[in-house]
Amino acid sequence: MRRLWGRLSSVNVQKAVWALEELSLAYERVEAGGAFGRVREPAYLALNPNGLVPVLEEDGYVLWESNAILRYVASGHGRGTLWPEDLRVRGHVDQWLDWQATTFTPAMRDAFWQTVRVPAGERDAGLIARSVAATEEAASILDAHFAGRSFAVGDAFTAADIALGCAAHRWLHLAVDRQPRPHLLAWYARVAARPAAATVLTTPIT
């Protein structure tokens, strides 16, 4: 039995769901986090003491941290597809997974929080501007990377496209002014058109 805890509007839950859908793996998703609560209940904290989503349960095995879940699902069920066989190609998948978690997503955190969760009259314009500027630096790296490339790593869709795709979806749908990034947009349109992506990228950002 495979169970995934987390609300679908969470960017981190989206990564796990997209991977499961890409690989046609059966799972039950349980709403948790945000308006659904649960994450501070003792039973949930026993699964993840951080009180965050997602959490994956699989036949008694428990795993938290979205990119750890993404790696686990991809390496266990997507070798040769989401998880390349070639060591050096796989190294680049890991590179982009780490970059998404340590650079791209943290850069946009304040812009997201301020424009989505803070009432308009209470927003910190300076905080938003600094966050947008930091995210633009990351977006420029992606735009340059995707010039002449169809996917993040190699010639095929991998777990790197899932992690980057979920983060890019959030960035591209924030109510802020952005610089034109034609290569980034072309790649995003390509991966967002995948059937498995429709499960997660149609959810409103909250």
Side-chain angles (χ1 to χ4, degrees):
M1 177 63 182
R2 185 180 294 112
R3 178 181 293 116
L4 183 72
W5 295 80
R7 58 187 173 85
L8 200 52
S9 57
S10 161
V11 68
N12 290 324
V13 174
Q14 289 172 354
K15 288 185 276 186
V17 170
W18 192 346
L20 291 167
E21 292 288 336
E22 283 285 345
L23 297 170
S24 300
L25 297 176
Y27 67 98
E28 171 196 10
R29 187 175 61 81
V30 181
E31 300 284 14
F36 297 100
R38 294 191 172 189
V39 294
R40 290 298 166 189
E41 295 174 2
Y44 189 87
L45 291 172
L47 297 175
N48 184 353
N50 300 288
L52 299 172
V53 294
V55 170
L56 180 70
E57 285 188 280
E58 193 175 85
D59 300 323
Y61 177 72
V62 177
L63 184 64
W64 39 266
E65 288 296 321
S66 60
N67 281 0
I69 294 171
L70 181 52
R71 286 182 173 100
Y72 174 77
V73 171
S75 63
H77 303 279
R79 283 194 172 273
T81 55
L82 295 187
W83 203 246
E85 295 283 6
D86 184 277
L87 176 63
R88 292 186 173 182
V89 177
R90 197 164 63 243
H92 280 149
V93 171
D94 265 325
Q95 166 189 282
W96 287 109
L97 291 181
D98 286 353
W99 183 85
Q100 173 271 310
T102 63
T103 301
F104 191 25
T105 295
M108 77 177 83
R109 183 171 291 125
D110 287 335
F112 162 75
W113 193 271
Q114 291 287 318
T115 60
V116 174
R117 295 185 179 172
V118 173
E122 301 174 20
R123 293 173 185 167
D124 185 327
L127 201 58
I128 294 171
R130 289 190 293 274
S131 179
V132 168
T135 313
E136 285 287 14
E137 289 186 19
S140 70
I141 291 172
L142 283 179
D143 193 59
H145 179 70
F146 286 119
R149 294 175 182 268
S150 295
F151 300 103
V153 178
D155 299 319
F157 182 89
T158 68
D161 293 288
I162 292 177
L164 293 174
C166 290
H169 175 73
R170 175 161 287 193
W171 169 239
L172 294 172
H173 288 82
L174 290 184
V176 297
D177 291 329
R178 285 174 294 274
Q179 295 295 317
R181 308 288 183 191
H183 307 302
L184 171 58
L185 285 172
W187 160 80
Y188 170 76
R190 187 177 304 112
V191 298
R194 297 177 70 86
T199 306
V200 297
L201 300 187
T202 55
T203 305
I205 296 173
T206 60

